[in-house]
Amino acid sequence: MAGSKRATAIAVVMQRLLNVFLLGLAAILMLFLGRETYHLALVLFVNNDESSSYMLIEGIVIYFLYFEFIALIVKYFASGYHFPLRYFIYIGITAIIRFIIVDHKSPIDTLLYTAAILVLVVTLFLANGERLKRE
């Protein structure tokens, strides 16, 4: 019985450490989100060249990535210390879309990236099925 109590105490300490580090990560992500907001404002209001539209779109997608990671951490605490699979899939889809926007020189690569997005969307559909839903 003493071993069981020790294992439970270790699990509690590790969970608390994880929570502290996740809160630190959330704070860092909030700082990056603020910095990205500032850069988006500069691109939107200061830069007037043609490349600024690509920078704006790329910045918006990066903004959503930061936002999704912060939402993932919020959801982790709200759902009783559980990371929902669908949030990781959303982040993956957004990251691939960002990569397509940034590096769209090769049509074959773009086709492969869109196929990866299709696989992630199918995975999202399957993960939201009644058998796999845990929320």
mmCIF file of all heavy atoms in Angstrom, residues 39-66:
data_model
loop_
_atom_site.group_PDB
_atom_site.id
_atom_site.type_symbol
_atom_site.label_atom_id
_atom_site.label_comp_id
_atom_site.label_asym_id
_atom_site.label_seq_id
_atom_site.Cartn_x
_atom_site.Cartn_y
_atom_site.Cartn_z
ATOM 1 N N HIS A 39 3.690 43.089 -35.568
ATOM 2 C CA HIS A 39 4.228 42.937 -36.921
ATOM 3 C C HIS A 39 3.124 42.982 -37.984
ATOM 4 O O HIS A 39 3.322 43.552 -39.061
ATOM 5 C CB HIS A 39 5.032 41.644 -37.053
ATOM 6 C CG HIS A 39 6.336 41.687 -36.338
ATOM 7 N ND1 HIS A 39 7.365 42.542 -36.693
ATOM 8 C CD2 HIS A 39 6.797 40.986 -35.266
ATOM 9 C CE1 HIS A 39 8.388 42.368 -35.882
ATOM 10 N NE2 HIS A 39 8.066 41.430 -35.000
ATOM 11 N N LEU A 40 1.975 42.406 -37.668
ATOM 12 C CA LEU A 40 0.846 42.477 -38.607
ATOM 13 C C LEU A 40 0.397 43.922 -38.799
ATOM 14 O O LEU A 40 0.081 44.340 -39.923
ATOM 15 C CB LEU A 40 -0.316 41.627 -38.117
ATOM 16 C CG LEU A 40 -0.218 40.134 -38.350
ATOM 17 C CD1 LEU A 40 -1.382 39.408 -37.686
ATOM 18 C CD2 LEU A 40 -0.171 39.805 -39.828
ATOM 19 N N ALA A 41 0.359 44.680 -37.720
ATOM 20 C CA ALA A 41 -0.024 46.084 -37.828
ATOM 21 C C ALA A 41 0.983 46.855 -38.669
ATOM 22 O O ALA A 41 0.601 47.696 -39.500
ATOM 23 C CB ALA A 41 -0.148 46.705 -36.434
ATOM 24 N N LEU A 42 2.279 46.569 -38.501
ATOM 25 C CA LEU A 42 3.300 47.233 -39.319
ATOM 26 C C LEU A 42 3.133 46.897 -40.795
ATOM 27 O O LEU A 42 3.206 47.780 -41.655
ATOM 28 C CB LEU A 42 4.704 46.823 -38.855
ATOM 29 C CG LEU A 42 5.215 47.441 -37.566
ATOM 30 C CD1 LEU A 42 6.606 46.913 -37.246
ATOM 31 C CD2 LEU A 42 5.234 48.950 -37.671
ATOM 32 N N VAL A 43 2.920 45.620 -41.086
ATOM 33 C CA VAL A 43 2.754 45.204 -42.490
ATOM 34 C C VAL A 43 1.503 45.832 -43.073
ATOM 35 O O VAL A 43 1.497 46.284 -44.216
ATOM 36 C CB VAL A 43 2.708 43.662 -42.595
ATOM 37 C CG1 VAL A 43 2.270 43.216 -43.979
ATOM 38 C CG2 VAL A 43 4.063 43.060 -42.262
ATOM 39 N N LEU A 44 0.459 45.899 -42.278
ATOM 40 C CA LEU A 44 -0.811 46.419 -42.777
ATOM 41 C C LEU A 44 -0.793 47.925 -42.985
ATOM 42 O O LEU A 44 -1.291 48.433 -43.990
ATOM 43 C CB LEU A 44 -1.932 46.039 -41.805
ATOM 44 C CG LEU A 44 -3.354 46.323 -42.242
ATOM 45 C CD1 LEU A 44 -3.682 45.544 -43.508
ATOM 46 C CD2 LEU A 44 -4.322 45.945 -41.139
ATOM 47 N N PHE A 45 -0.179 48.661 -42.070
ATOM 48 C CA PHE A 45 -0.272 50.108 -42.122
ATOM 49 C C PHE A 45 0.976 50.814 -42.627
ATOM 50 O O PHE A 45 0.897 51.954 -43.064
ATOM 51 C CB PHE A 45 -0.640 50.657 -40.740
ATOM 52 C CG PHE A 45 -1.982 50.194 -40.260
ATOM 53 C CD1 PHE A 45 -2.094 49.426 -39.112
ATOM 54 C CD2 PHE A 45 -3.129 50.505 -40.964
ATOM 55 C CE1 PHE A 45 -3.331 48.992 -38.667
ATOM 56 C CE2 PHE A 45 -4.368 50.080 -40.523
ATOM 57 C CZ PHE A 45 -4.467 49.315 -39.380
ATOM 58 N N VAL A 46 2.140 50.173 -42.569
ATOM 59 C CA VAL A 46 3.380 50.848 -42.954
ATOM 60 C C VAL A 46 3.862 50.405 -44.324
ATOM 61 O O VAL A 46 4.144 51.230 -45.181
ATOM 62 C CB VAL A 46 4.481 50.628 -41.879
ATOM 63 C CG1 VAL A 46 5.785 51.253 -42.318
ATOM 64 C CG2 VAL A 46 4.028 51.199 -40.545
ATOM 65 N N ASN A 47 3.963 49.106 -44.550
ATOM 66 C CA ASN A 47 4.460 48.592 -45.833
ATOM 67 C C ASN A 47 3.385 48.720 -46.901
ATOM 68 O O ASN A 47 2.242 48.338 -46.687
ATOM 69 C CB ASN A 47 4.873 47.127 -45.716
ATOM 70 C CG ASN A 47 6.095 46.942 -44.859
ATOM 71 O OD1 ASN A 47 6.783 47.897 -44.552
ATOM 72 N ND2 ASN A 47 6.362 45.713 -44.476
ATOM 73 N N ASN A 48 3.771 49.243 -48.048
ATOM 74 C CA ASN A 48 2.819 49.387 -49.143
ATOM 75 C C ASN A 48 3.271 48.663 -50.406
ATOM 76 O O ASN A 48 2.687 48.851 -51.458
ATOM 77 C CB ASN A 48 2.593 50.871 -49.468
ATOM 78 C CG ASN A 48 1.820 51.568 -48.373
ATOM 79 O OD1 ASN A 48 0.975 50.965 -47.728
ATOM 80 N ND2 ASN A 48 2.126 52.830 -48.151
ATOM 81 N N ASP A 49 4.324 47.854 -50.326
ATOM 82 C CA ASP A 49 4.794 47.162 -51.518
ATOM 83 C C ASP A 49 3.981 45.892 -51.753
ATOM 84 O O ASP A 49 3.175 45.474 -50.938
ATOM 85 C CB ASP A 49 6.290 46.854 -51.428
ATOM 86 C CG ASP A 49 6.643 46.035 -50.209
ATOM 87 O OD1 ASP A 49 5.783 45.882 -49.331
ATOM 88 O OD2 ASP A 49 7.785 45.541 -50.138
ATOM 89 N N GLU A 50 4.204 45.289 -52.907
ATOM 90 C CA GLU A 50 3.413 44.125 -53.318
ATOM 91 C C GLU A 50 3.690 42.909 -52.444
ATOM 92 O O GLU A 50 2.794 42.104 -52.187
ATOM 93 C CB GLU A 50 3.716 43.789 -54.781
ATOM 94 C CG GLU A 50 2.815 42.726 -55.356
ATOM 95 C CD GLU A 50 3.067 42.535 -56.838
ATOM 96 O OE1 GLU A 50 3.171 43.544 -57.552
ATOM 97 O OE2 GLU A 50 3.164 41.387 -57.248
ATOM 98 N N SER A 51 4.919 42.760 -51.977
ATOM 99 C CA SER A 51 5.262 41.604 -51.152
ATOM 100 C C SER A 51 4.599 41.651 -49.785
ATOM 101 O O SER A 51 4.513 40.639 -49.100
ATOM 102 C CB SER A 51 6.777 41.487 -50.995
ATOM 103 O OG SER A 51 7.260 42.563 -50.229
ATOM 104 N N SER A 52 4.122 42.816 -49.387
ATOM 105 C CA SER A 52 3.503 42.916 -48.070
ATOM 106 C C SER A 52 2.203 42.125 -47.985
ATOM 107 O O SER A 52 1.821 41.703 -46.901
ATOM 108 C CB SER A 52 3.267 44.372 -47.690
ATOM 109 O OG SER A 52 2.298 44.956 -48.517
ATOM 110 N N SER A 53 1.512 41.896 -49.100
ATOM 111 C CA SER A 53 0.297 41.087 -49.045
ATOM 112 C C SER A 53 0.623 39.644 -48.693
ATOM 113 O O SER A 53 -0.101 39.015 -47.922
ATOM 114 C CB SER A 53 -0.465 41.164 -50.366
ATOM 115 O OG SER A 53 0.310 40.627 -51.413
ATOM 116 N N TYR A 54 1.733 39.108 -49.238
ATOM 117 C CA TYR A 54 2.153 37.758 -48.850
ATOM 118 C C TYR A 54 2.594 37.732 -47.393
ATOM 119 O O TYR A 54 2.294 36.783 -46.657
ATOM 120 C CB TYR A 54 3.295 37.256 -49.743
ATOM 121 C CG TYR A 54 2.839 36.875 -51.119
ATOM 122 C CD1 TYR A 54 3.208 37.634 -52.218
ATOM 123 C CD2 TYR A 54 2.039 35.756 -51.326
ATOM 124 C CE1 TYR A 54 2.784 37.302 -53.494
ATOM 125 C CE2 TYR A 54 1.614 35.405 -52.585
ATOM 126 C CZ TYR A 54 1.992 36.184 -53.675
ATOM 127 O OH TYR A 54 1.571 35.844 -54.922
ATOM 128 N N MET A 55 3.289 38.760 -46.960
ATOM 129 C CA MET A 55 3.718 38.831 -45.565
ATOM 130 C C MET A 55 2.515 38.921 -44.636
ATOM 131 O O MET A 55 2.504 38.320 -43.562
ATOM 132 C CB MET A 55 4.653 40.025 -45.356
ATOM 133 C CG MET A 55 6.008 39.855 -46.003
ATOM 134 S SD MET A 55 7.066 41.334 -46.001
ATOM 135 C CE MET A 55 6.857 42.000 -44.382
ATOM 136 N N LEU A 56 1.479 39.644 -45.062
ATOM 137 C CA LEU A 56 0.273 39.770 -44.258
ATOM 138 C C LEU A 56 -0.436 38.431 -44.134
ATOM 139 O O LEU A 56 -0.820 38.016 -43.029
ATOM 140 C CB LEU A 56 -0.660 40.822 -44.859
ATOM 141 C CG LEU A 56 -1.963 41.065 -44.107
ATOM 142 C CD1 LEU A 56 -1.669 41.663 -42.741
ATOM 143 C CD2 LEU A 56 -2.870 41.972 -44.909
ATOM 144 N N ILE A 57 -0.597 37.727 -45.245
ATOM 145 C CA ILE A 57 -1.277 36.429 -45.216
ATOM 146 C C ILE A 57 -0.487 35.426 -44.388
ATOM 147 O O ILE A 57 -1.050 34.704 -43.563
ATOM 148 C CB ILE A 57 -1.509 35.915 -46.651
ATOM 149 C CG1 ILE A 57 -2.522 36.800 -47.359
ATOM 150 C CG2 ILE A 57 -1.998 34.469 -46.634
ATOM 151 C CD1 ILE A 57 -2.653 36.531 -48.836
ATOM 152 N N GLU A 58 0.834 35.394 -44.584
ATOM 153 C CA GLU A 58 1.673 34.496 -43.789
ATOM 154 C C GLU A 58 1.588 34.855 -42.307
ATOM 155 O O GLU A 58 1.481 33.972 -41.452
ATOM 156 C CB GLU A 58 3.115 34.562 -44.262
ATOM 157 C CG GLU A 58 4.026 33.621 -43.505
ATOM 158 C CD GLU A 58 5.474 33.748 -43.922
ATOM 159 O OE1 GLU A 58 5.792 34.522 -44.848
ATOM 160 O OE2 GLU A 58 6.292 33.068 -43.294
ATOM 161 N N GLY A 59 1.600 36.131 -41.992
ATOM 162 C CA GLY A 59 1.491 36.569 -40.610
ATOM 163 C C GLY A 59 0.169 36.180 -39.974
ATOM 164 O O GLY A 59 0.120 35.790 -38.807
ATOM 165 N N ILE A 60 -0.905 36.262 -40.751
ATOM 166 C CA ILE A 60 -2.221 35.879 -40.232
ATOM 167 C C ILE A 60 -2.256 34.390 -39.917
ATOM 168 O O ILE A 60 -2.787 33.971 -38.883
ATOM 169 C CB ILE A 60 -3.326 36.278 -41.231
ATOM 170 C CG1 ILE A 60 -3.487 37.792 -41.248
ATOM 171 C CG2 ILE A 60 -4.646 35.603 -40.882
ATOM 172 C CD1 ILE A 60 -4.386 38.315 -42.348
ATOM 173 N N VAL A 61 -1.678 33.575 -40.789
ATOM 174 C CA VAL A 61 -1.673 32.132 -40.546
ATOM 175 C C VAL A 61 -0.806 31.800 -39.327
ATOM 176 O O VAL A 61 -1.180 30.966 -38.501
ATOM 177 C CB VAL A 61 -1.212 31.363 -41.799
ATOM 178 C CG1 VAL A 61 -1.099 29.883 -41.520
ATOM 179 C CG2 VAL A 61 -2.184 31.594 -42.948
ATOM 180 N N ILE A 62 0.332 32.466 -39.188
ATOM 181 C CA ILE A 62 1.167 32.265 -37.997
ATOM 182 C C ILE A 62 0.405 32.700 -36.749
ATOM 183 O O ILE A 62 0.463 32.046 -35.704
ATOM 184 C CB ILE A 62 2.497 33.032 -38.128
ATOM 185 C CG1 ILE A 62 3.368 32.383 -39.195
ATOM 186 C CG2 ILE A 62 3.244 33.091 -36.807
ATOM 187 C CD1 ILE A 62 4.617 33.165 -39.529
ATOM 188 N N TYR A 63 -0.336 33.792 -36.878
ATOM 189 C CA TYR A 63 -1.159 34.273 -35.776
ATOM 190 C C TYR A 63 -2.135 33.195 -35.336
ATOM 191 O O TYR A 63 -2.308 32.947 -34.146
ATOM 192 C CB TYR A 63 -1.899 35.528 -36.239
ATOM 193 C CG TYR A 63 -2.514 36.348 -35.149
ATOM 194 C CD1 TYR A 63 -1.767 37.294 -34.467
ATOM 195 C CD2 TYR A 63 -3.854 36.204 -34.809
ATOM 196 C CE1 TYR A 63 -2.333 38.076 -33.466
ATOM 197 C CE2 TYR A 63 -4.426 36.965 -33.821
ATOM 198 C CZ TYR A 63 -3.659 37.903 -33.153
ATOM 199 O OH TYR A 63 -4.213 38.662 -32.169
ATOM 200 N N PHE A 64 -2.788 32.536 -36.298
ATOM 201 C CA PHE A 64 -3.721 31.464 -35.969
ATOM 202 C C PHE A 64 -3.015 30.278 -35.327
ATOM 203 O O PHE A 64 -3.582 29.617 -34.451
ATOM 204 C CB PHE A 64 -4.503 31.007 -37.202
ATOM 205 C CG PHE A 64 -5.697 31.865 -37.479
ATOM 206 C CD1 PHE A 64 -5.713 32.696 -38.577
ATOM 207 C CD2 PHE A 64 -6.798 31.853 -36.647
ATOM 208 C CE1 PHE A 64 -6.809 33.505 -38.838
ATOM 209 C CE2 PHE A 64 -7.897 32.651 -36.887
ATOM 210 C CZ PHE A 64 -7.900 33.475 -37.993
ATOM 211 N N LEU A 65 -1.777 30.004 -35.738
ATOM 212 C CA LEU A 65 -1.030 28.918 -35.102
ATOM 213 C C LEU A 65 -0.795 29.221 -33.619
ATOM 214 O O LEU A 65 -1.010 28.355 -32.763
ATOM 215 C CB LEU A 65 0.299 28.684 -35.814
ATOM 216 C CG LEU A 65 0.233 27.874 -37.097
ATOM 217 C CD1 LEU A 65 1.575 27.882 -37.806
ATOM 218 C CD2 LEU A 65 -0.194 26.445 -36.806
ATOM 219 N N TYR A 66 -0.351 30.428 -33.320
ATOM 220 C CA TYR A 66 -0.169 30.805 -31.917
ATOM 221 C C TYR A 66 -1.485 30.712 -31.162
ATOM 222 O O TYR A 66 -1.561 30.188 -30.053
ATOM 223 C CB TYR A 66 0.385 32.226 -31.786
ATOM 224 C CG TYR A 66 1.824 32.375 -32.155
ATOM 225 C CD1 TYR A 66 2.248 33.405 -32.981
ATOM 226 C CD2 TYR A 66 2.791 31.497 -31.677
ATOM 227 C CE1 TYR A 66 3.582 33.560 -33.321
ATOM 228 C CE2 TYR A 66 4.125 31.648 -32.011
ATOM 229 C CZ TYR A 66 4.511 32.676 -32.834
ATOM 230 O OH TYR A 66 5.830 32.828 -33.158
#
